[in-house]
Amino acid sequence: MSAQLPIEAISQFSDLHPKPGHIRFQYGTAGFRTLGSVLDSVLFRVGVLAALRSKKLDGKTIGVMVTASHNPEPDNGVKLVDPRGEMLEAAWETHATVLANASTTPDFIEALETLVKTAKIDLSKPARVVYARDTRPSGPALVAAFEDGLKALDAEGRNAGVTTTPILHYLVRSINTKGTKHEYGDDSEEGYFTKLSGGFKKLVSGKPSLPPLVIDCANGVGTDAVTKIIGYLGDSLKLIPVNTATTTPGALNNACGADFVKTSQKFPPSVAPHLKAGQRACSLDGDADRLIYYYLDERSQFHMLDGDKIAALVAAFIVELVKAAGLDSEIQVGVVQTAYANGSSTKYLTERLPVRCVPTGVKHLHHAAEHFPVGVYFEANGHGTVLFSPETQEKLESHEPSTPAQSTALNHLLSLTQLINQTVGDAISDMLLVETVLAHKSYSGIEWDSLYVDLPNRLVKVIVVDRHAFKTEDAERRLVSPKGLQARIDDLVKRYDGGRSFVRPSGTEDVVRVYAEAVIKSQADDLAFRVAGLVYDETGGDPVTRPKEFI
Ligand code: NG1
Ligand code: ZN
């Protein structure tokens, strides 16, 4: 390893991007995420880190996405994408945190030297990075800081411009598989839209078209993608985009988008003029990797179809296709959820399929799903996808169907592998997937919703002195510390019909989250607030500031 770090270039650029003294940055489950105005040094350092990650992986292309997803507009963030389009390897999350927190340029260079040594990075290797940003106003300056990081290491950068998080993941995988037998697709936005829409058109060909779908773009980058895919879909699906104001200050994710719908359990007021009884609609989040559906019934009651309902719809459909293709003895379909999955969805799925529960965070779901021949994973908040293992893909490609019906089912499965963005949860791909199933089953929102009835539930946040005092086990479903608290929660839960509750520290906010469900809504609320009260008292919360609802 003869090549050295270009200390002089790094230090000159680094001096242009000093770290704010008082802030401690953390690469969490969603990368770095905080106010966009304090992220300049982080972006520069992520540029350097991405270049080193590429060198470490023999010049493979690394992805970098500048976004704060469903957060409000003043926030921003950045996350790295590994070569197959998956989330950054966990050990490097720690490296990212260390580099971001070096207080001065000399400290930063020292941290880099340590990283190069411990991770055994061959600096003579090339460095290639593809990057994109969402529509936030703080994006352009942050991208410029990031580009300085690439320049400091003389890395090759490809600017994918303003695009969705899932498209960036798609590009990373396509670039790295180009010319191999695992080629994922053409490494361009056009390649992405052609692939997805091509799969969709084959799947719905000959099926009666569904009524138009209202699609809330959260005033974010999903707007561009939705506008583009409309052109590729032609008559195969009619979309009615709303909340498309990407340049209106403050509009992004404001009273709209998937997180608004899921958290407030109501539809965005801006969607109201488009929602007649029976009309189905969906909301993307600010970077278009989450999707929530909903509809109004004939009494104009709102019904939400969240990530759990999407998982149930999609998993059952794939199981049917696998069976119809004559492959059910060879290809097993499994589902991965987190503790936030509604108890009714878990019951519905467990009666039909293997189901695994994993800790919160996309990387846990993704990795667990990789263990199934076909792994369906969704978070209740609408982030998820379906993974076909390489063996399954080969089986689908080589299987000789014995009847015309088997042949049709097999072709449908192959088209699904095109339509589904297997690198990460993708609102547009998931929307096409849902629409495919609805078209095949002739379902409206009502029939889909009736697969199972959600248990009423409540999610609350508790601000505590130190959320790190909360440690969990059993995929975050039980607390091991603070000592004794879980036993008290268990005692409380027993008193509620169909009661379930769990407590875990958030990975993205400085709070502890309390989830509760029960057969009756008022009971779910009551249980959530009582458990929140236990949490608050346990951690030395001040009785004066104790929220009143924590009964
Ligand atoms: P935290 O803050 O760790 O609960 C939230 C979501 C996760 C996931 C991450 C990353 C809930 C309850 N939690 O994590 O599901 O999406 O953000 O964005 O929805
Ligand atoms: Zn998102």
Side-chain angles (χ1 to χ4, degrees):
M1 270 196 268
S2 53
Q4 303 287 312
L5 277 170
I7 304 289
E8 205 162 310
I10 297 174
S11 118
Q12 274 171 15
F13 278 113
S14 173
D15 285 346
L16 301 175
H17 304 285
K19 175 184 179 289
H22 56 290
I23 301 175
R24 196 184 142 71
F25 298 107
Q26 164 117 36
Y27 195 101
T29 36
F32 292 108
R33 195 178 290 184
T34 182
L35 275 177
S37 55
V38 301
L39 276 168
D40 180 81
S41 63
V42 170
L43 266 288
F44 164 72
R45 291 169 186 200
V46 165
V48 175
L49 179 75
L52 289 177
R53 178 81 182 140
S54 175
K55 285 176 184 285
K56 167 71 190 169
L57 300 175
D58 207 13
K60 291 225 170 56
T61 297
I62 295 297
V64 171
M65 184 69 201
V66 180
T67 180
S69 184
H70 55 278
N71 286 32
E73 193 164 291
D75 286 358
N76 214 326
V78 60
K79 51 190 167 190
L80 282 91
V81 179
D82 263 354
R84 287 190 320 118
E86 74 280 36
M87 300 290 168
L88 178 68
E89 181 188 295
W92 279 65
E93 292 182 357
T94 315
H95 301 327
T97 302
V98 168
L99 292 187
N101 288 304
S103 6
T104 59
T105 293
D107 288 354
F108 175 54
I109 289 172
E110 198 184 316
L112 283 176
E113 281 173 332
T114 310
L115 171 60
V116 169
K117 222 177 279 159
T118 51
K120 300 199 178 67
I121 300 170
D122 180 351
L123 293 169
S124 67
K125 298 281 183 184
R128 300 185 182 97
V129 183
V130 58
Y131 55 98
R133 66 173 174 91
D134 69 14
T135 53
R136 274 160 217 275
S138 57
L142 292 176
V143 165
F146 166 79
E147 285 169 333
D148 275 356
L150 296 185
K151 283 183 212 151
L153 279 208
D154 201 19
E156 194 186 304
R158 171 172 158 183
N159 188 350
V162 178
T163 198
T164 70
T165 294
I167 291 180
L168 191 266
H169 284 252
Y170 166 91
L171 289 175
V172 172
R173 177 119 153 220
S174 301
I175 292 168
N176 286 309
T177 53
K178 210 172 178 165
T180 71
K181 79 175 176 98
H182 297 296
E183 189 159 302
Y184 192 61
D186 184 64
D187 61 326
S188 64
E189 266 201 354
E190 199 194 338
Y192 165 89
F193 288 118
T194 308
K195 184 175 173 184
L196 265 61
S197 60
F200 178 75
K201 282 188 202 161
K202 280 190 211 151
L203 278 156
V204 297
S205 146
K207 306 277 166 205
S209 358
L210 295 168
L213 169 70
V214 173
I215 180 160
D216 158 24
C217 301
N219 297 313
V221 69
T223 306
D224 301 347
V226 166
T227 311
K228 285 179 186 155
I229 200 141
I230 285 173
Y232 287 84
L233 290 171
D235 289 335
S236 62
L237 177 65
K238 289 277 171 251
L239 298 175
I240 305 171
V242 293
N243 293 323
T244 55
T246 53
T247 53
T248 304
L252 177 69
N253 296 323
N254 188 6
C256 61
D259 194 57
F260 172 85
V261 178
K262 176 69 183 163
T263 314
S264 57
Q265 310 201 1
K266 54 182 190 224
F267 60 83
S270 45
V271 173
H274 304 275
L275 275 189
K276 302 176 291 294
Q279 172 72 52
R280 74 198 188 296
C282 64
S283 288
L284 322 181
D285 74 340
D287 63 340
D289 62 355
R290 287 192 192 181
L291 178 72
I292 299 282
Y293 266 75
Y294 38 95
Y295 70 96
L296 293 186
D297 65 19
E298 59 287 353
R299 288 180 299 123
S300 293
Q301 286 282 320
F302 166 81
H303 296 265
M304 182 168 66
L305 299 148
D306 65 1
D308 301 335
K309 277 264 154 85
I310 298 176
L313 182 78
V314 164
F317 180 65
I318 297 178
V319 166
E320 276 172 28
L321 283 182
V322 168
K323 199 161 179 211
L327 285 165
D328 44 331
S329 59
E330 294 175 58
I331 298 178
Q332 186 195 39
V333 183
V335 177
V336 186
Q337 302 187 309
T338 72
Y340 290 107
N342 193 278
S344 296
S345 79
T346 310
K347 181 167 177 290
Y348 173 88
L349 287 163
T350 326
E351 282 162 6
R352 291 161 175 82
L353 297 161
V355 178
R356 269 201 65 194
C357 181
V358 298
T360 307
V362 173
K363 63 170 183 261
H364 298 295
L365 289 125
H366 195 92
H367 287 150
E370 280 177 329
H371 289 113
F372 289 111
V374 179
V376 178
Y377 75 82
F378 273 89
E379 290 189 294
N381 61 31
H383 184 110
T385 187
V386 181
L387 307 181
F388 296 82
S389 73
E391 298 74 40
T392 301
Q393 186 75 39
E394 272 162 36
K395 241 175 235 170
L396 295 178
E397 278 158 18
S398 61
H399 182 66
E400 300 279 348
S402 3
T403 63
Q406 284 195 353
S407 167
T408 306
L410 187 65
N411 284 331
H412 286 335
L413 284 166
L414 284 165
S415 298
L416 280 182
T417 67
Q418 299 289 303
L419 175 153
I420 296 168
N421 184 345
Q422 297 182 49
T423 61
V424 78
D426 179 335
I428 290 186
S429 164
D430 291 338
M431 177 271 290
L432 294 177
L433 177 56
V434 166
E435 293 298 306
T436 297
V437 188
L438 298 183
H440 273 246
K441 303 233 154 232
S442 303
Y443 276 179
S444 68
I446 302 167
E447 282 109 15
W448 170 17
D449 198 21
S450 66
L451 292 179
Y452 61 83
V453 179
D454 271 322
L455 278 173
N457 56 87
R458 185 78 187 230
L459 182 61
V460 292
K461 297 178 192 183
V462 188
I463 297 169
V464 297
V465 181
D466 177 17
R467 79 183 201 279
H468 302 291
F470 288 76
K471 304 248 182 303
T472 61
E473 62 177 4
D474 189 22
E476 303 182 323
R477 288 174 290 193
R478 297 188 63 77
L479 280 175
V480 284
S481 98
K483 282 250 160 338
L485 184 53
Q486 186 61 49
R488 289 207 283 290
I489 296 172
D490 291 343
D491 278 346
L492 208 52
V493 168
K494 267 190 248 151
R495 296 188 227 152
Y496 293 79
D497 192 12
R500 179 169 77 95
S501 180
F502 65 93
V503 173
R504 58 174 278 280
S506 160
T508 61
E509 281 180 78
D510 195 10
V511 297
V512 166
R513 295 198 201 281
V514 174
Y515 176 89
E517 62 188 28
V519 171
I520 302 166
K521 175 73 180 139
S522 59
Q523 296 271 295
D525 291 344
D526 192 65
L527 177 58
F529 287 126
R530 281 183 196 272
V531 173
L534 285 180
V535 168
Y536 191 83
D537 296 343
E538 176 69 35
T539 50
D542 170 5
V544 179
T545 59
R546 186 181 204 259
K548 278 193 296 300
E549 58 272 36
F550 295 177
I551 315 160

